[in-house]
Amino acid sequence: MAEPSRPARVVFLLQDLFFGGTQRQALELAARLDRDRFAPEFWMLAGGRDFAPHAARAGIPLTWLCAAPKVTTASLRALWKKLETERPDLLVPLTAVPNIWGRVFGRLRRLPAVVGTCRGGGAIKRQHERWLKNTVAHHIVNAAPLKDALVRLGRPEDKVACIPNGVDTEYFAPPPEEMRPVREVVLCPARYCEDKDHETLLTAFERTVAERPRAELWLVGDGPLRTRVRTLAARSPVRGAIRTYPAAPDPRPFFQQASVVVLSSVREGLPNVILEAMSMGIPVAATAVGGIPDAVEPERTGLLCPPRNPEALGANMARLLADEDLRRQYGENARARVLEQFSMEAMVRRHEAVFTQVLAQAAG
């Protein structure tokens, strides 16, 4: 543990700094940590610098262990050497590959404290928690189903902290009345990957257009399935109503144009985009998976349906588009719920409490 005279060196190990929910949440957390007690820095296993300017402005030191676009053996060799020469007081790996290798190398290098994280619906399997769950001092998850899964695997309940994502409610504020959307835009800000199931969304949108001919679907994001999703969109019978955009550092201009925000995920943790949309007063149509039901209250802040059910999802999008008063009421309720339950300040303080506890145990 750090000497009492200096803040604890907390290294967040990430795969990259591409635009993404985990990267954004890590940045928000690190920027707000009490610098009298914690000195955060980011280590990246691969290239990807989308968020680098934001991190630099927040005064967070950045280290790229490898410039390759994906994690390679060179990345892992660099991490192994780095942990020998620059031992952090606390290592916090984020996403699957960092959680696997950060823990294995951390154990072999006898690091004083490692905190594992599970943030996505598939994290338990992808991170091999069945075998690696006991290689960390503590776990932090962002949704109750992930904590339940770890406990079922045998992880002690008091070693798993469920800390929902936080949202900057001042930054993600409802637009002025004169900027309210006038078009029927359904916005899906989601990474192109299997978990998000864009194929179901595209099929569901055909149902929506059948009821709301003026509806538009905006897909915003990047990811490994980008080409596949864009090809499906280009072949859709309603392709003229579908637009695709790359991910952006500031998603607010997209949110400001949206009447509804949609997610068709089959697996989730607690999606940042859901909280950001709710904070901006936008109703949500989503699947009832992972931590989404913890945020979205059906018939109050949005509408939920089972995954892989395009008929139900399409009907929910159409229903919200058809009723402006309902959208306004759900949006107001959503904003109030985020202010009460998902503030950035609460998220940061709870992380600080876990970090302090783990560091104290390591010192003892």
Side-chain angles (χ1 to χ4, degrees):
M1 180 178 174
E3 297 296 329
S5 59
R6 68 171 177 86
R9 185 184 183 196
V10 180
V11 169
F12 293 90
L13 180 64
L14 297 107
Q15 182 157 321
D16 52 57
L17 276 185
F18 284 125
F19 294 136
T22 295
Q23 292 89 334
R24 182 184 295 278
Q25 197 72 190
L27 179 58
E28 298 283 7
L29 170 60
R32 289 171 170 79
L33 287 175
D34 181 353
R35 296 303 176 87
D36 290 333
R37 294 189 291 150
F38 306 101
E41 57 187 276
F42 287 176
W43 293 1
M44 277 64 66
L45 290 171
R49 298 172 177 257
D50 292 345
F51 275 124
H54 301 72
R57 285 195 294 272
I60 302 169
L62 305 176
T63 299
W64 275 270
L65 299 171
C66 183
K70 296 182 179 181
V71 178
T72 66
T73 54
S75 310
L76 301 180
R77 285 196 298 268
L79 175 62
W80 177 249
K81 293 179 181 178
K82 187 82 168 175
L83 289 173
E84 179 183 27
T85 59
E86 299 186 35
R87 295 169 60 82
D89 299 307
L90 179 64
L91 180 68
V92 185
L94 296 159
T95 69
V97 174
N99 262 286
I100 294 169
W101 292 104
R103 295 187 207 185
V104 171
F105 289 175
R107 174 60 65 92
L108 293 174
R109 288 297 191 192
R110 300 178 183 271
L111 294 187
V114 179
V115 172
T117 61
C118 291
R119 299 182 52 82
I124 301 295
K125 181 178 180 180
R126 292 181 185 128
Q127 297 173 189
H128 306 302
E129 293 292 348
R130 183 177 298 278
W131 297 279
L132 296 180
K133 62 182 181 295
N134 294 321
T135 59
V136 294
H138 211 93
H139 273 87
I140 293 177
V141 302
N142 64 353
L146 293 171
K147 178 172 182 174
D148 294 341
L150 283 170
V151 172
R152 286 196 300 271
L153 287 176
R155 191 71 171 137
E157 190 168 355
D158 63 354
K159 295 294 185 182
V160 186
C162 183
I163 306 178
N165 294 350
V167 61
D168 186 337
T169 56
E170 293 184 6
Y171 187 79
F172 290 100
E177 188 65 30
E178 61 272 16
M179 293 182 62
R180 292 281 181 177
V182 296
R183 295 155 65 183
E184 296 185 11
V185 174
V186 177
L187 173 67
C188 179
R191 181 171 169 78
Y192 296 129
C193 62
E194 293 288 348
D195 286 357
K196 304 301 182 181
D197 191 16
H198 284 82
E199 186 171 354
T200 288
L201 173 58
L202 291 168
T203 302
F205 185 63
E206 294 177 32
R207 159 74 185 270
T208 302
V209 172
E211 295 189 32
R212 305 297 301 175
R214 295 179 59 245
E216 302 175 36
L217 176 62
W218 292 11
L219 305 176
V220 179
D222 292 301
L225 299 184
R226 178 177 58 184
T227 300
R228 174 183 167 187
V229 172
R230 290 186 173 182
T231 298
L232 289 173
R235 293 174 178 173
S236 169
V238 294
R239 55 187 173 275
I242 302 173
R243 300 187 181 187
T244 60
Y245 300 92
D250 184 357
R252 291 176 301 173
F254 291 107
F255 283 127
Q256 288 168 354
Q257 297 296 315
S259 294
V260 178
V261 165
V262 62
L263 275 188
S264 52
S265 305
V266 293
R267 288 174 291 274
E268 278 292 355
L270 180 59
N272 290 315
V273 295
I274 292 285
L275 299 181
E276 292 163 359
M278 292 172 63
S279 184
M280 292 190 68
I282 308 169
V284 173
T287 48
V289 298
I292 292 178
D294 295 334
V296 180
E297 296 178 275
E299 303 294 340
R300 180 167 173 78
T301 66
L303 300 174
L304 299 179
C305 69
R308 302 193 193 281
N309 189 328
E311 285 295 317
L313 183 61
N316 285 346
M317 291 188 288
R319 179 184 168 194
L320 289 171
L321 290 176
D323 193 333
E324 183 176 357
D325 291 338
L326 185 68
R327 293 199 307 273
R328 186 180 296 272
Q329 185 59 60
Y330 281 7
E332 291 174 357
N333 294 342
R335 171 74 176 174
R337 180 162 174 76
V338 166
L339 288 170
E340 180 181 353
Q341 300 288 337
F342 300 100
S343 73
M344 191 67 71
E345 292 72 21
M347 183 271 290
V348 174
R349 299 291 85 80
R350 293 185 65 188
H351 274 85
E352 289 181 340
V354 172
F355 293 170
T356 298
Q357 174 187 340
V358 171
L359 288 166
Q361 292 170 347

